[in-house]
Amino acid sequence: MEIFVNKAIHNGIINYLNDTNNFNKIHLFEFWVVKVLARIYDEINIINPYKLGKEDIFKNNLLIYGMNDKEIDSFVKYMNEYNTWLESSNNSKTNILNKICEILINMILAKSDEREISSEDLAFFNSFFIPTDPELIKIKKLTTDDLDMIPKLWERKKAWFTQNIVLEVKPPELLSPEDYKRYGLSIDEVKQLSNLKIREINDNILKEDAENVEGGRTNTKDEPLKLVLTSGSGFVDTVVLLSIMATEIMIGLLIAFWFLRR
């Protein structure tokens, strides 16, 4: 088969397709680059043009998130220069890898403007730009003296699309409306509270129910269940205190009106 785009990209795709079978470690970096491209643009947009022998489609697919022709041409050029360095007998240090990685980071940033970067993809990108693979680290050490440039750049740039990522907090499960009603609460009121307060109320209700069961107490219409307001729940204690204060204020106002009418 003819060389696809250039030797570096061609060898990277070959290794990507072989993966663990007949894997050529000489082309490990190119393999990682293609894996990154497949994560950014989806595998079908990277591998299908290769299988069809359509270099123009491959390059056009790298433009879909807003990269310009000059940037893609530079990427292809740097990949070719890396292959030249790899095949050279004079393997002096070069900054080609850093230039390639910088363009890959820009590709990820461009995608983040259009689509959310998943936590799985983010972890994968971390493993490339801040490598833990001993073989990949070895290649980077052989290639460049500036090993900190890309990790620092990646940490700084990824803040643009990770600042809105928040940990998903699982809300507490609500009890049945009847459970809350037995304690003088409506489920709509409970839904307006914070997760912490809901958990406090749920714990109090479940604790009270458990104590009633252990004590052989049953709920009847003449004997409604009551929450223990001094159980340590700051929320419940606050509600009781505010209720008492409101009652005292109302009594004070009624007394004042009574004196004024005399």
Side-chain angles (χ1 to χ4, degrees), residues 19-54:
D19 203 352
T20 56
N21 299 320
N22 301 317
F23 186 87
N24 190 341
K25 289 188 177 181
I26 295 176
H27 302 295
L28 179 66
F29 177 73
E30 304 97 297
F31 166 63
W32 270 92
V33 169
V34 171
K35 287 207 296 183
V36 171
L37 291 176
R39 289 275 182 165
I40 299 172
Y41 297 101
D42 296 330
E43 182 179 288
I44 191 172
N45 291 321
I46 302 301
I47 302 305
N48 274 17
Y50 164 80
K51 291 181 176 180
L52 296 172
K54 300 292 185 180

Side-chain angles (χ1 to χ4, degrees), residues 180-234:
Y180 295 118
K181 186 176 181 180
R182 286 189 292 121
Y183 292 95
L185 299 168
S186 73
I187 195 166
D188 290 332
E189 291 172 335
V190 174
K191 288 179 180 179
Q192 301 302 316
L193 303 176
S194 68
N195 291 341
L196 179 61
K197 295 302 180 184
I198 293 175
R199 289 190 178 95
E200 287 182 2
I201 292 174
N202 287 354
D203 289 344
N204 283 334
I205 291 176
L206 295 174
K207 180 180 178 181
E208 186 78 10
D209 285 349
E211 290 176 352
N212 291 336
V213 171
E214 291 176 2
R217 179 181 175 184
T218 57
N219 183 29
T220 65
K221 293 182 179 179
D222 297 328
E223 187 184 15
L225 296 175
K226 298 179 181 179
L227 279 173
V228 179
L229 300 181
T230 57
S231 62
S233 167

Side-chain angles (χ1 to χ4, degrees), residues 58-122:
F58 173 81
K59 293 179 181 178
N60 285 336
N61 287 345
L62 301 184
L63 299 169
I64 60 177
Y65 293 123
M67 298 290 287
N68 59 51
D69 290 312
K70 184 178 179 180
E71 290 171 311
I72 300 306
D73 289 341
S74 294
F75 170 73
V76 172
K77 172 177 172 287
Y78 293 143
M79 288 293 288
N80 188 56
E81 289 180 2
Y82 172 74
N83 184 76
T84 301
W85 176 88
L86 193 64
E87 294 181 345
S88 173
S89 58
N90 180 23
N91 295 131
S92 57
K93 297 294 180 71
T94 176
N95 63 349
I96 295 174
L97 259 69
N98 286 346
K99 290 181 178 179
I100 293 171
C101 289
E102 189 172 359
I103 293 177
L104 290 172
I105 290 174
N106 289 337
M107 289 176 175
I108 297 169
L109 290 174
K111 179 181 180 178
S112 71
D113 289 337
E114 303 288 336
R115 295 171 59 182
E116 182 179 350
I117 305 298
S118 70
S119 57
E120 181 183 352
D121 285 344
L122 181 61

Side-chain angles (χ1 to χ4, degrees), residues 162-189:
T162 58
Q163 59 186 345
N164 294 325
I165 296 179
V166 295
L167 294 176
E168 183 179 352
V169 179
K170 184 179 180 181
E173 293 184 4
L174 295 174
L175 304 179
S176 69
E178 290 74 18
D179 287 330
Y180 295 118
K181 186 176 181 180
R182 286 189 292 121
Y183 292 95
L185 299 168
S186 73
I187 195 166
D188 290 332
E189 291 172 335

